[in-house]
Amino acid sequence: MLNILHLDDALVAIDKPPGLLVHRTQLDAHEEEAALQKLRDQLGRPVWPVHRLDKGTSGVLLFALDADTASAVGQSFERGEPSKRYLALVRGWPAEDTGAIDHPLARDPEQPSTGQPMLEALTHWRCLARAEWSLATDARFPTSRFALMELRPETGRRHQIRRHLKHMAHPIVGDATHGKGPLNRAVAAHLGVQRLWLHALELRIRHPGNGEALVMSAPPGPEWSGLPGIQTELQSITRSTSPEA
């Protein structure tokens, strides 16, 4: 059963687990399960996705319960009106505590950038914690450095956060496309968990029916609490995003 974060007559939000597609696609033809079909069966009615999360990303995922609502909310996302907040574990320590990545991105990350239109893309970031683990992922160093980061994308380009953090030289741990394979494998073996360490923590929108502010949040899953050296920050985040907060 999917964890439902919000449900009304027009919208439903779930806490998508990592590794689950939003909907079936030929790019992952071997995957038989997807959030859209699971939620449809769970509610016993059709649902329409209004935005996307990558397969490996966990957290807040919003659906509409009718086509008109889907169109209205989808247009709101295209205009960049919703506010999104993500959590990521990245390689290395950022030199500053806060900053912004203002770096255009090619429309299709699956294709070479040359010849593609470059689209404006802006992501604000904040370093929440820095940790050093007794884990050698490079023969030159006996330890490895990691950071817990909060990301607030202002635009919604495909793989924007993943591509921007790669551009920043702090790729997300577990990112098979934009990260570092040896580091990803070493961390997965060290933690006993293999995943993309990116979580959609919060989504804020204007409800299409009454115009009121709607805030949906999902605390990071239990595997995050096993990350060495950043438990205090994670506990604070979990408390602030729990349903009773």
Side-chain angles (χ1 to χ4, degrees):
M1 299 288 286
L2 295 168
N3 179 18
I4 294 179
L5 304 170
H6 172 85
L7 177 62
D8 61 35
D9 291 338
L11 297 169
V12 56
I14 66 167
D15 183 358
K16 187 184 87 67
L20 182 66
L21 292 168
V22 173
H23 57 78
R24 296 191 184 110
T25 170
Q26 289 301 314
L27 296 176
D28 277 286
H30 64 286
E31 291 287 352
E32 297 183 356
E33 285 196 327
L36 187 151
Q37 287 79 16
K38 287 174 69 70
L39 183 59
R40 177 198 62 198
D41 295 344
Q42 186 170 327
L43 296 179
R45 61 183 297 181
V47 296
W48 286 257
V50 296
H51 71 126
R52 299 289 188 270
L53 292 179
D54 292 338
K55 177 182 175 182
T57 305
S58 56
V60 182
L61 179 64
L62 184 63
F63 293 84
L65 295 177
D66 62 79
D68 289 342
T69 299
S71 176
V73 179
Q75 290 175 31
S76 174
F77 272 93
E78 290 178 4
R79 293 191 296 267
E81 294 171 351
S83 172
K84 296 170 281 186
R85 186 160 64 108
Y86 290 78
L87 193 69
L89 178 70
V90 306
R91 184 194 71 173
W93 290 358
E96 306 292 336
D97 290 334
T98 61
I101 309 166
D102 187 355
H103 176 68
L105 297 171
R107 183 183 298 277
D108 186 353
E110 308 293 339
Q111 302 295 328
S113 297
T114 303
Q116 286 198 60
M118 302 300 289
L119 307 177
E120 291 184 1
L122 176 62
T123 303
H124 298 279
W125 61 268
R126 181 164 66 104
C127 183
L128 302 177
R130 296 174 174 85
E132 190 165 2
W133 300 353
S134 298
L135 172 65
T137 60
D138 186 315
R140 297 172 296 173
F141 308 105
T143 61
S144 298
R145 290 179 170 184
F146 301 93
L148 182 68
M149 295 181 67
E150 177 189 84
L151 294 311
R152 295 177 181 265
E154 282 200 10
T155 48
R157 311 307 178 196
R158 191 176 173 201
H159 296 184
Q160 176 173 317
I161 292 175
R162 296 165 61 186
R163 295 157 78 187
H164 267 178
L165 286 172
K166 177 186 178 182
H167 175 75
M168 190 182 173
H170 293 291
I172 299 174
V173 177
D175 191 335
T177 303
H178 307 287
K180 301 292 183 180
L183 178 137
N184 292 342
R185 291 188 289 272
V187 171
H190 183 70
L191 298 175
V193 178
Q194 184 172 0
R195 64 157 294 173
L196 173 68
W197 291 92
L198 179 63
H199 179 74
L201 194 64
E202 183 182 88
L203 175 64
R204 295 172 178 257
I205 69 166
R206 288 284 177 187
H207 195 287
N210 56 30
E212 293 182 357
L214 178 60
V215 181
M216 296 153 286
S217 57
E223 69 273 21
W224 289 80
S225 64
L227 298 176
I230 56 178
Q231 286 89 349
T232 300
E233 290 76 13
L234 285 167
Q235 288 171 2
S236 176
I237 291 167
T238 299
R239 285 194 298 269
S240 68
T241 54
S242 62
E244 62 272 12

